[in-house]
Amino acid sequence: MCGIVAYIGPRDAAPILLDGLRRLEYRGYDSAGIAVLQGGKIAVRRKAGKLANLVRAVQAHPVHGEVGIGHTRWATHGEPSDRNAHPHASSSGEIVVVHNGIVENFLELREELADEGVTFASDTDTEVIAQLIELYAGGGTPLFEAVRRAVGRLRGAHGIVVISAREPDRIVAARLGNAGGVTIGAGEGEMFVASDMPALLDHTRRMAFLESGQIALVTRTGYSVETLDGKPVESALQTVDWDATAAEKGNYPHFMLKEIHEQVRSLGDTMAGRVDFEQGEVFLPTLKIDSAAARRIRRVILTACGTASHAAMVGRILIERLARIPAEVDIASEFRYRDPILDDRTAVIAISQSGETADTLAAMEEAKRKGALLWSIVNVVGSQAMRMADGYLSMQTGPEIGVASTKAFTAPLVDLFLLGILLGRLRGTLPAAERRKRVAELRRLPGLVGECLAREASLAGPAAALKDVTHCLYLGRGSNMPIAYEGALKLKEISYIHAEAYPAGEMKHGPIALVDKSMPVIALAPRDPWYEKMLSQIEQTKARGGMVIAVCTDGDDRIPAKVDYAIPIPDVSWTLSPVLTIIPLQLLAYQVAVLRGCDVDQPRNLAKSVTVE
Ligand code: G6P
C-alpha cells in the first residue's frame, strides 16, 4: 500500500524525500506528494500519476527546508487526483499528515468535524486525521498530545506521520494495527521515518520499528516512543543487513527481471548456514523447536495471501510427505473470519514476504489468540509477522521491489523444504538415508536455477504466441499444481491476460469445454510421479485443437513431439521441481508483458504490500 518517508536534520529535505519515494514507489503509484517546513510555513507539492509528475512539479516550484514528509499513494478513499494526493493539511495549513490505512469511521468523524464548522479540501479519509489533530491542538496543546488523541479516535489500522508549522523541531509518528510498518531510522544528527526499509537504506541501517498502539516523537537527535495510553516504551535501534544496492535495478530494464535472475544467489543465501549437506542435517534455530515440540504437532495450517499462498500450497505437500503431518492451506482473508478450530497441537505457518500484509497478520493474531504454535516465513526481518510469531524463518532474498513476486516465491519453497526435512527428522518420520539424499540434492538447486535462466532466449517463441491471446489455462498436478496457479498469477498480474489455473485432473470436469484453437494451455509436465497423467492431459488438449506450451524435463522426447512449444528444464526430484518449473513461467510472463508494452514493475491497480483488508 502507500509509501511514507519523513526527514528531520540539517540537509535540504525535498531531495531526500523524493529519493525515498522513488524507492517506495512500488508500494503504490497513483499519486505522490511532499510537504516541507519552509520559512515558518508548510509548503505542499502533490501530483496525480507517477512520481515523475511530482518531481517535475517540485522542479517547477522548488521547496527548501530541513523537515518534511512524503507519500506515494494507492487510492482507497477518493480517486487518484492532485487534490486527493497526500500530504493532507488541516484547514489552517499548519498541520500536515501522511497516512497509510483506512479510517473505518471516516464518515462519522467527517460529520462530527463538519458540525464544528470544518470544511474539507479532499475526498480522503486522511484529511479527517489532519482536521482532528488541528481540533485537538487548539489552546496550545502540544502536537504529540493532539496526535495521540486523534489516533485514539480512529478505527481501522494506520501508519501516520505528522508535522506542524507550530512545532518545527519534531515529527510525530504513530502506528495502530497492521496497516504496514512505521520504521524510524537514525543517522548522525538527522533522523528519518518511513513505511519501509528501502527508503532509508541509503542513509542508515540503524532502525527501530513501532508496534501497534505506539506513538513516537522524532527530533534531529533522537526519538522516544510511548504507548497511546502514555506508557514509555523501550524501542531499541536494530542494525539491518540489507544494502542499498540490492534495491537498485542495476543493468536490468526492470526490477522483476533482475529479481528473477537473483534467484541463483537468493536460494544459495536461503540455505547458507542452515544445511549440512554431508550429514543431511538442517538447522533452523529461529524456529525454536525441539523434538518433543515437533512430536506434539497434530496438524499444520499454512496461511498466506497471493503468491505466498502458492508457496504454502507447495509447503503443504512437502510437510505431509517429509514430516507426515496432516497439512492444510488457508487463504488468510478467509481463515481470519472463519472461527477456525485450533489448539496448542496445531502449528500455524504464515508466509509473507513483506511481513505486513493485513490479512496475514490478522490470521496470525487469530492463531495466537487460540493458542496455536505460530511460525512465520518472512523476507523483511523486523516485520510484524516475524515479531508476532513464536518462531520464524527468514527468506534471505534481500528487498523485492517488482510488484509481481518472484524471488520471494522460490525462497520460501526452500524454507518449507528445510522445515519438512527438520520436522521429519525430529518426528522420526523421514528415514536418514532418504533425508541425506534429499538434502544432497538441494546443494545443486541454485546451479539448476541458473541453467533454467540461461535458457531465457528460448522463451521468445512461446511469448510471441501468447502476446495477443485474451485467455489461457495453466495446468499442473502434484507438487506442480501450485506452480500452475503461480504461473497464471504472474501472467495476469503483469500482462493483464486472463489466465486460469487448474489441477490438471479437474480439466475433464468442466474447463476442457473451453479448449479450442484460441485457448492456449500451459502444462507443467516434468518427469515426476504425475508425468503420465499430464501426458494424457496434453493429448486430450491437442485432440481438441488447443495450442500447448509444456514445461518438461531435459531428455524427454515424448512431450516435445506432441506440443507446440516444449520448455525443458534440468532433471530434479519432484520435491524440488517447483523451484525450477516456476523459472520459465516467470520469464514467460515477463516477456509477454514486455511484448504487450505493459508496465512490468508497477502493474495497474496492484501494490506490493497490501496493508488494507
Ligand atoms: C500483494 C502483492 C503480491 C503478494 C501478496 C502477499 O498482492 O502484490 O505479490 O504475493 O501481496 O504479500 P506478502 O507480503 O504477504 O507475501
Side-chain angles (χ1 to χ4, degrees):
M1 298 287 109
C2 310
I4 289 176
V5 62
Y7 174 77
I8 181 163
R11 292 192 276 162
D12 199 21
I16 296 169
L17 298 175
L18 291 173
D19 191 55
L21 291 181
R22 184 172 65 75
R23 292 169 195 279
L24 293 181
E25 209 189 0
Y26 66 98
R27 291 179 64 95
Y29 32 81
D30 59 45
S31 50
I34 59 170
V36 172
L37 267 164
Q38 177 174 259
K41 294 206 167 97
I42 299 180
V44 178
R45 302 284 181 270
R46 311 184 290 182
K47 272 286 161 212
K50 292 276 176 86
L51 184 63
N53 296 353
L54 174 67
V55 171
R56 276 194 293 276
V58 175
Q59 277 160 358
H61 302 282
V63 280
H64 296 289
E66 297 171 349
V67 181
I69 56 180
H71 187 268
T72 177
R73 179 169 186 244
W74 187 86
T76 57
H77 287 69
E79 53 163 20
S81 62
D82 289 359
R83 72 192 282 273
N84 287 335
H86 296 216
H88 287 286
S90 64
S91 301
S92 70
E94 293 191 328
I95 290 170
V96 178
V97 173
V98 287
H99 166 228
N100 189 2
I102 294 177
V103 182
E104 288 171 3
N105 51 339
F106 142 77
L107 282 177
E108 179 189 318
L109 293 172
R110 199 174 153 118
E111 275 171 24
E112 184 183 317
L113 286 159
D115 288 346
E116 298 278 341
V118 175
T119 53
F120 290 87
S122 78
D123 311 317
T124 64
D125 52 340
T126 302
E127 191 187 344
V128 164
I129 305 175
Q131 303 288 16
L132 260 187
I133 298 171
E134 172 85 61
L135 186 73
Y136 295 145
T141 306
L143 179 69
F144 188 79
E145 289 311 320
V147 173
R148 187 209 302 275
R149 221 177 132 193
V151 172
R153 295 289 317 277
L154 305 179
R155 282 211 303 273
H158 310 277
I160 297 167
V161 181
V162 190
I163 54 173
S164 164
R166 296 169 205 155
E167 294 174 57
D169 60 342
R170 61 196 54 205
I171 294 170
V172 178
R175 175 175 186 166
L176 195 62
N178 298 321
V182 175
T183 301
I184 298 169
E188 295 302 324
E190 57 184 3
M191 297 290 291
F192 307 83
V193 181
S195 53
D196 220 353
M197 287 196 265
L200 306 184
L201 290 170
D202 253 356
H203 308 290
T204 181
R205 303 238 191 112
R206 295 188 307 135
M207 300 182 195
F209 307 95
L210 286 197
E211 301 282 350
S212 172
Q214 293 182 350
I215 178 166
L217 177 66
V218 182
T219 64
R220 282 162 197 258
T221 50
Y223 68 101
S224 58
V225 180
E226 286 180 16
T227 59
L228 283 172
D229 49 17
K231 295 192 191 72
V233 173
E234 192 62 46
S235 178
L237 289 170
Q238 302 173 27
T239 303
V240 302
D241 58 6
W242 283 9
D243 66 75
T245 50
E248 291 291 344
K249 248 189 283 195
N251 292 326
Y252 288 93
H254 297 101
F255 276 110
M256 182 181 179
L257 188 61
K258 174 184 173 246
E259 287 159 1
I260 291 172
H261 279 268
E262 276 174 355
Q263 288 173 108
V264 177
R265 183 196 53 73
S266 64
L267 293 173
D269 288 354
T270 295
M271 296 171 207
R274 292 173 166 174
V275 187
D276 178 338
F277 293 105
E278 309 304 327
Q279 302 300 320
E281 291 289 351
V282 166
F283 310 98
L284 303 173
T286 51
L287 274 187
K288 302 185 200 141
I289 178 110
D290 58 15
S291 182
R295 284 171 195 270
R296 283 198 85 238
I297 300 171
R298 279 221 187 108
R299 188 162 71 119
V300 168
I301 298 176
L302 298 116
T303 188
C305 304
T307 288
S309 73
H310 300 148
M313 287 160 74
V314 177
R316 168 200 177 168
I317 296 169
L318 294 175
I319 287 169
E320 288 203 334
R321 175 63 185 78
L322 300 172
R324 307 305 295 156
I325 312 176
E328 300 153 43
V329 175
D330 229 311
I331 296 293
S333 53
E334 292 296 319
F335 180 77
R336 61 183 292 191
Y337 289 119
R338 220 188 44 243
D339 192 12
I341 300 165
L342 304 169
D343 58 23
D344 63 353
R345 301 194 72 172
T346 308
V348 172
I349 306 174
I351 307 172
S352 173
Q353 63 82 21
S354 63
E356 60 173 69
T357 300
D359 285 320
T360 307
L361 292 176
M364 291 180 74
E365 274 163 6
E366 179 72 3
K368 207 175 181 76
R369 204 169 58 77
K370 292 192 161 157
L373 173 62
L374 183 61
W375 287 326
S376 61
I377 301 180
V378 296
N379 195 28
V380 180
V381 173
S383 61
Q384 186 82 349
M386 186 194 110
R387 285 174 289 152
M388 197 196 297
D390 299 313
Y392 72 95
L393 288 177
S394 81
M395 297 183 191
Q396 326 256 51
T397 74
E400 187 181 69
I401 306 294
V403 167
S405 187
T406 52
K407 62 177 182 170
F409 174 69
T410 47
L413 297 186
V414 168
D415 282 327
L416 288 159
F417 177 88
L418 296 177
L419 176 61
I421 297 274
L422 179 70
L423 289 174
R425 176 171 70 72
L426 293 174
R427 292 167 65 90
T429 47
L430 186 63
E434 182 185 345
R435 197 181 74 229
R436 265 188 229 106
K437 196 172 116 234
R438 294 206 178 278
V439 170
E441 193 182 25
L442 194 60
R443 184 181 239 163
R444 295 167 50 223
L445 198 64
L448 297 179
V449 167
E451 281 186 45
C452 295
L453 291 167
R455 302 173 188 186
E456 189 175 356
S458 69
L459 295 165
L466 290 181
K467 174 180 171 265
D468 295 315
V469 305
T470 42
H471 306 275
C472 60
L473 276 174
Y474 281 68
L475 302 178
R477 289 190 81 140
S479 61
N480 276 298
M481 187 267 278
I483 302 307
Y485 282 83
E486 177 58 12
L489 179 66
K490 287 292 86 88
L491 190 73
K492 67 183 119 176
E493 279 180 311
I494 59 170
S495 74
Y496 317 139
I497 292 173
H498 173 218
E500 201 75 62
Y502 268 94
E506 277 292 290
M507 270 296 269
K508 54 191 173 292
H509 300 294
I512 200 162
L514 297 169
V515 175
D516 64 9
K517 286 193 178 58
S518 65
M519 175 64 89
V521 171
I522 293 97
L524 290 149
R527 246 200 230 102
D528 65 12
W530 303 275
Y531 173 77
E532 295 293 338
K533 311 272 179 225
M534 284 304 300
L535 200 62
S536 61
Q537 200 59 66
I538 289 170
E539 304 264 18
Q540 288 166 26
T541 307
K542 284 309 295 174
R544 285 156 183 88
M547 177 180 79
V548 177
I549 298 169
V551 178
C552 59
T553 305
D554 278 343
D556 179 354
D557 48 14
R558 293 165 75 190
I559 292 211
K562 289 186 200 314
V563 302
D564 300 82
Y565 297 97
I567 307 174
I569 57 158
D571 197 11
V572 72
S573 70
W574 67 267
T575 42
L576 292 177
S577 91
V579 182
L580 298 194
T581 52
I582 191 56
I583 304 290
L585 298 191
Q586 293 171 343
L587 289 166
L588 184 63
Y590 173 79
Q591 292 192 15
V592 173
V594 170
L595 287 174
R596 288 165 69 92
C598 297
D599 188 341
V600 172
D601 283 335
Q602 295 176 350
R604 68 183 181 207
N605 306 341
L606 300 181
K608 186 75 188 161
S609 309
V610 180
T611 53
V612 295
E613 270 196 54

